[in-house]
Amino acid sequence: MILAIKKYVESIKNPEKESEDTSIMKIIQGGENYNIEFKSTYRWDLFQNRRNDELKYQVVKTIAAFLNSE
C-alpha cells in the first residue's frame, strides 16, 4: 500500500513520467475499492454551496483510516 501511495505521489509530481499502471485516469476508472476512496471536495460544501472547514477533518480522518489499515 505504501509503495502504491509513493508511486501515485510521484506521478502527480512528475506527470510526464506517469507510467501506465499508475495513471490517474486508470485509478479513477477503477472506481472506489478497499484501497481507493474519492472525495468530491476538501472543504467546499456542495449542499450548502459555501466553504465548510469541518469537511477537511473528514478527509483527514479518511486518510488516517487508510494509513492505519492493511
Side-chain angles (χ1 to χ4, degrees):
M1 169 95 171
I2 298 298
L3 182 59
I5 292 171
K6 286 181 181 178
K7 282 184 180 179
Y8 176 71
V9 170
E10 188 61 34
S11 74
I12 292 171
K13 288 180 181 177
N14 300 309
E16 67 280 354
K17 292 183 180 179
E18 185 174 73
S19 66
E20 191 174 339
D21 63 322
T22 59
S23 86
I24 292 174
M25 288 309 295
K26 280 194 170 212
I27 292 170
I28 292 170
Q29 290 169 351
E32 290 186 343
N33 58 45
Y34 185 73
N35 296 312
I36 302 290
E37 182 173 317
F38 301 122
K39 295 293 187 187
S40 57
T41 181
Y42 179 65
R43 65 180 183 185
W44 186 261
D45 193 321
L46 297 174
F47 297 104
Q48 297 178 10
N49 200 30
R50 66 179 180 87
R51 182 175 160 175
N52 181 349
D53 287 331
E54 292 296 318
L55 292 177
K56 65 183 173 184
Y57 297 110
Q58 297 303 317
V59 173
V60 171
K61 282 174 51 177
T62 301
I63 293 169
F66 273 108
L67 292 172
N68 287 321
S69 66
E70 292 179 36

